[in-house]
Amino acid sequence: MTRFKSLWWPWGYFVVYICVILPTHAQPNLSLHDSLQAAIEKQSNLLIKPNIEQVKESGLSTWLDGSPSVSFMHLESRDELGTNESEITFSFDIKSPFLRDIEKKLDSKVDKLQSTAKQQFALILSGRLRSILWELSIQKASLEALNRKQTLLSSLTTQFEEMAAAQAIPQYLALIVQAEMNQLSISFMEYQRNISSLQEQYFALTGLRVLPNQISESLEGEEIAEIANHPDVRALDAEFENAYEMLLGSSKRTTPWSIQLTGKHVSTPGFSENQLGVGVEVPIGIGETLSSLQKSEYAKLTIDHEIARKKLYLQLTENKASRVREYTFLQEKQRLLDKGLSTLHALNKVMDELREANAPNQEFFIRTLLNNIDAQSNVELNRLYTQRQVALIKQAAGITL
C-alpha cells in the first residue's frame, strides 16, 4: 500500500515528504486505546504473575486444614493371661465452615487485587503515552515555526548579500541574516534529536512505529467527578479488605474440626477382638470472634487505612483541581491570543511592504517578522497546551486511554 507520509525528522533545513511503502500490518487509523493495548502487551512482563500451579488447591486441600497424621500404639502385657493391645489412629483436621467461607472471600480479594494492579499499570502506561505523544506534537509544531523562519531568511540571504556587495545596504544586515540562519541550524538539530528520542521512547513502550491518528481527548465532567473510582484508591481499599479477611482467618472461629479413625486389636489367650471407632472433635465458639489482641490489630489496620485513604484522596483531589485551574487559564489565554491574530497578520503585511520597498531600518523589519512568526507559533502552541491539559486532567482523575 502506497501513501504520502511526513517523515518524523527534519532533513537539512526542511521537513520533507516522501513516498513510503507501508507494511501490510500497518494501522493508519491507530487509536490511543490501540497504543495503550500495545504498550500493555509489550510491557506485561513488568507485572507480577503468580504461579497458579503452585498456589492452586486440590480437592482435598479445600477441606483439610493441614496434613493428616497417623499414630500407632502397641501394649504388650507382662502377665501370662494378660491382654495385648495394638491401636492405629488416623487424624484429620477439617476446615470449619467459617474458614472455608473466609478462603472463598480471600480468593475473590486476590482477583480484585490483581484487577486493581492491572488498572494501576494501565494508568501508568497511559500517562507515559500521553506525555510522549503530546510532547512529540509540541516539538513538531515548534519545528514548523522554524521552517517558516527558514523560508523567510532563505528569501533574504542572496538578496542581502548582493545588496551588501553593491553597498546598497550596510554589511551588518547580511551578517545578521547569516547569524540567524546559523542559529536555525542548531535549533533544527535540537528538535531533530528531541523528536527522534520521543519516537524511540514510543517504540520502546508500544513496539509500534505508527502513531495514533488522533491524540486529542474529550473532557466529560461526569468522568472526572468521582475520585473514589481512581485505580490507586480502589487498590488501597482492596488491600484493606484483603488484610481484614486475613485477620478473620486467624480468629477462634477458624479452629478446625478434628476427626479420628481408630482401629484397635485386643488379644488374650484364647480370645481376640478387632475394634473400629470414629471420633469427632468440634470446637464450641464462646464469646467474640476476635481476641483482644486481634481487635487491637484490627483497630490499627482500620486507622492506618483511613489515614492513608484520606491522604491519597487529598493528594489526588488537589492534583486534579490544579490541572483544571491550569486548563481554565490556558483557555482564557487562547481567547486573547486568537483575538490578537488579526493584528499579527496586519503587522506582517506592513513589515513585508516596508521591507520590499527597502525602507530604512531593515533590521527592525526583519526582527519584527521573526518575532511575529514566534507570536503566531505561540498561538498554535497554546492551543496544543490546552488540549494536552485535557489529557492531564483525565490522567489525574485516573482515567486510562
Side-chain angles (χ1 to χ4, degrees):
M1 175 179 175
T2 303
R3 290 175 59 91
F4 284 95
K5 182 181 178 184
S6 174
L7 286 181
W8 286 355
W9 53 85
W11 192 272
Y13 295 143
F14 300 92
V15 175
V16 296
Y17 292 80
I18 65 171
C19 180
V20 295
I21 305 299
L22 295 180
T24 55
H25 61 273
Q27 301 177 44
N29 295 322
L30 193 75
S31 68
L32 283 171
H33 184 69
D34 294 332
S35 293
L36 174 61
Q37 292 305 310
I40 291 175
E41 183 177 349
K42 191 172 190 300
Q43 307 298 330
S44 59
N45 60 315
L46 299 179
L47 281 173
I48 298 176
K49 298 179 181 179
N51 191 328
I52 302 300
E53 295 301 322
Q54 291 184 1
V55 300
K56 187 177 180 180
E57 291 186 322
S58 64
L60 287 177
S61 62
T62 58
W63 287 89
L64 294 179
D65 189 6
S67 301
S69 62
V70 59
S71 63
F72 177 76
M73 181 180 65
H74 176 72
L75 298 176
E76 185 77 26
S77 177
R78 293 181 177 271
D79 297 332
E80 183 178 350
L81 298 178
T83 301
N84 299 324
E85 296 183 5
S86 297
E87 182 178 294
I88 185 169
T89 301
F90 293 93
S91 298
F92 305 87
D93 285 339
I94 305 299
K95 293 177 181 178
S96 67
F98 181 75
L99 179 58
R100 291 200 303 272
D101 183 57
I102 290 295
E103 289 182 339
K104 289 180 181 179
K105 290 181 179 179
L106 282 172
D107 287 340
S108 67
K109 300 302 180 188
V110 170
D111 292 338
K112 188 174 181 179
L113 285 171
Q114 291 177 342
S115 175
T116 54
K118 290 179 179 179
Q119 292 171 5
Q120 286 179 299
F121 188 59
L123 183 61
I124 291 171
L125 293 179
S126 294
R128 286 293 300 133
L129 282 171
R130 283 167 170 147
S131 175
I132 291 172
L133 292 172
W134 277 110
E135 185 58 30
L136 190 56
S137 180
I138 290 168
Q139 291 288 316
K140 288 181 177 180
S142 299
L143 190 61
E144 286 299 320
L146 291 185
N147 278 325
R148 292 196 293 272
K149 283 186 176 182
Q150 193 274 336
T151 300
L152 170 63
L153 294 175
S154 293
S155 67
L156 297 177
T157 300
T158 304
Q159 176 188 355
F160 275 30
E161 287 177 352
E162 292 175 353
M163 292 176 69
Q167 298 184 347
I169 60 172
Q171 180 69 31
Y172 76 87
L173 287 178
L175 295 177
I176 288 175
V177 173
Q178 185 59 51
E180 290 288 345
M181 288 290 286
N182 291 338
Q183 186 58 47
L184 278 179
S185 299
I186 296 173
S187 298
F188 269 116
M189 290 176 60
E190 292 174 347
Y191 281 112
Q192 177 181 353
R193 178 196 61 188
N194 295 342
I195 291 174
S196 177
S197 174
L198 289 167
Q199 289 166 352
E200 287 306 315
Q201 290 177 45
Y202 176 79
F203 173 70
L205 194 65
T206 64
L208 301 175
R209 290 292 186 185
V210 182
L211 295 173
N213 61 333
Q214 176 60 259
I215 65 173
S216 297
E217 299 179 63
S218 60
L219 189 61
E220 303 294 339
E222 59 273 13
E223 284 185 328
I224 63 170
E226 188 51 63
I227 285 293
N229 292 326
H230 196 287
D232 290 349
V233 176
R234 297 179 65 182
L236 187 66
D237 291 343
E239 289 176 7
F240 169 73
E241 293 170 5
N242 186 72
Y244 174 66
E245 295 297 339
M246 291 183 66
L247 184 62
L248 288 179
S250 62
S251 66
K252 292 180 291 185
R253 290 183 64 185
T254 61
T255 303
W257 298 8
S258 182
I259 297 178
Q260 298 88 34
L261 300 178
T262 302
K264 187 174 182 180
H265 176 72
V266 180
S267 65
T268 58
F271 173 79
S272 65
E273 180 182 12
N274 293 320
Q275 300 176 349
L276 294 175
V278 177
V280 179
E281 180 182 349
V282 179
I284 300 176
I286 299 178
E288 298 289 340
T289 298
L290 298 177
S291 66
S292 297
L293 183 62
Q294 289 170 331
K295 286 180 180 179
S296 176
E297 185 178 351
Y298 172 68
K300 183 179 185 306
L301 185 68
T302 303
I303 292 172
D304 289 346
H305 171 253
E306 284 299 320
I307 292 175
R309 197 177 196 276
K310 288 177 180 178
K311 183 178 179 181
L312 177 61
Y313 211 89
L314 181 62
Q315 177 185 348
L316 294 174
T317 302
E318 289 180 345
N319 187 31
K320 188 183 72 173
S322 175
R323 303 290 190 186
V324 172
R325 286 194 299 269
E326 181 66 14
Y327 176 67
T328 303
F329 166 76
L330 290 172
Q331 281 184 311
E332 181 62 21
K333 183 179 178 181
Q334 188 65 45
R335 186 184 68 80
L336 295 175
L337 288 172
D338 289 339
K339 186 177 179 180
L341 266 179
S342 58
T343 302
L344 290 176
H345 293 322
L347 184 58
N348 265 344
K349 183 178 180 181
V350 171
M351 290 299 104
D352 279 333
E353 291 173 351
L354 291 173
R355 181 179 58 83
E356 291 174 359
N358 290 326
N361 202 357
Q362 287 285 313
E363 179 183 357
F364 170 73
F365 304 143
I366 296 171
R367 295 293 185 191
T368 303
L369 287 170
L370 291 174
N371 289 338
N372 277 6
I373 291 175
D374 289 333
Q376 291 174 12
S377 175
N378 287 337
V379 177
E380 178 58 27
L381 286 175
N382 192 78
R383 186 173 289 109
L384 293 177
Y385 294 150
T386 305
Q387 293 170 350
R388 179 180 65 177
Q389 200 64 24
V390 172
L392 294 178
I393 291 173
K394 300 188 79 166
Q395 182 71 24
I399 301 171
T400 59
L401 294 173

